[in-house]
């Protein structure tokens, strides 16, 4: 079953604009990660934010986490055509000493040159 | 470090046939995961190995599915008597065994059952 739900399901923006994607989840987590997937390819890890962190940056990416609302957002600034991909949030709620990651349904981002 | 590799990348088979997929994780990674992804959905967890031990299996993994990691290195996922509903992308990932370690994904094997 999918733990998280991304919103919106699809997003189309012009190159240079910012893109914001949201993720909501259901249970307590150890950490939350964002992945990118180009069409028909494997997933690429973007950023991990731990449950005791509220905000994290990596290059043009900014992730926030609100554990009280069980939600996270991914902001991509100054988007590029190469950012066109599906973006998934993944929550780790593993309690057995390993990372049991549950993925959301994804946001499909299209950046128009 | 050549990353996680999977073979084959694509597989077309007829219903009722058996198929086997291989995953080669990053060499120093002890943990290996299999996921299944259908069109328009996120990956769903199938099973997890710590070295050669299979420690968890999802309810998605029916009796027709079996996974092995005999020497704690590469892993195989076999589907017996394939059904059309098995058509999906099968993804493998590996990670180290510290808490919160990133999972690195392979390119996936896309299965089409006719």
């Amino acid at each position: 079953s999918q733990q998280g739900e991304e919103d919106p399901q699809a997003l189309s923006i012009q190159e240079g604009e910012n893109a914001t994607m949201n993720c909501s989840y259901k249970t307590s987590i150890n950490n939350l990660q964002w992945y990118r997937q180009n069409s028909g390819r494997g997933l690429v890890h973007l950023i991990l934010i731990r449950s005791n962190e509220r905000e994290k940056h990596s290059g043009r990416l900014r992730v926030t986490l609100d554990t009280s609302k069980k939600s996270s957002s991914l902001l991509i600034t100054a988007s590029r055509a190469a950012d066109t991909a599906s973006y998934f949030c993944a929550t780790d709620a593993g309690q057995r000493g390993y990372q049991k990651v549950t993925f959301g349904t994804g946001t499909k981002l299209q950046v128009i040159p | 470090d050549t990353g996680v590799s999977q073979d084959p990348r694509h597989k077309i088979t007829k219903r009722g046939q058996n198929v086997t997929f291989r995953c080669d994780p990053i060499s120093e990674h002890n943990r290996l995961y299999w996921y299944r992804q259908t069109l328009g959905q996120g990956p769903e967890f199938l099973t997890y190995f710590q070295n050669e031990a299979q420690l968890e299996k999802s309810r998605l993994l029916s009796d027709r599915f079996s996974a092995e990691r005999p020497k704690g290195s590469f892993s195989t996922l076999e589907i017996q008597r394939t059904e059309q509903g098995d058509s999906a992308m099968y993804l493998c990932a590996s990670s180290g065994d510290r808490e919160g370690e990133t999972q690195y994904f392979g390119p996936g094997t896309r299965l089409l059952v006719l």
Side-chain angles (χ1 to χ4, degrees), chain A residues 94-109:
Chain A
Q95 297 177 345
R96 303 183 187 183
Y98 73 91
Q99 192 187 90
K100 184 172 181 180
V101 170
T102 307
F103 285 84
T105 51
T107 292
K108 198 165 186 177
L109 173 66

Side-chain angles (χ1 to χ4, degrees), chain A:
Chain A
S1 62
Q2 309 279 192
Q3 151 84 302
E5 286 189 9
E6 279 90 337
D7 170 57
Q9 289 187 335
L11 179 62
S12 183
I13 60 173
Q14 296 288 329
E15 200 166 30
E17 294 181 338
N18 296 341
T20 299
M21 288 159 266
N22 302 297
C23 167
S24 59
Y25 57 91
K26 299 173 186 173
T27 65
S28 297
I29 60 172
N30 299 321
N31 61 65
L32 184 146
Q33 303 174 56
W34 285 90
Y35 285 83
R36 183 186 74 217
Q37 185 176 38
N38 292 86
S39 181
R41 307 284 295 276
L43 286 90
V44 174
H45 182 263
L46 295 176
I47 195 165
L48 179 150
I49 185 166
R50 300 188 189 283
S51 60
N52 61 353
E53 296 176 312
R54 293 296 167 257
E55 187 170 314
K56 204 158 183 182
H57 295 81
S58 177
R60 295 184 295 114
L61 306 180
R62 172 177 167 252
V63 168
T64 62
L65 179 64
D66 187 336
T67 53
S68 66
K69 295 181 180 178
K70 291 186 169 59
S71 67
S72 174
S73 68
L74 171 67
L75 168 68
I76 304 174
T77 60
S79 64
R80 305 167 182 168
D83 295 329
T84 295
S86 291
Y87 291 81
F88 295 91
C89 69
T91 52
D92 172 16
Q95 297 177 345
R96 303 183 187 183
Y98 73 91
Q99 192 187 90
K100 184 172 181 180
V101 170
T102 307
F103 285 84
T105 51
T107 292
K108 198 165 186 177
L109 173 66
Q110 181 184 27
V111 181
I112 302 168

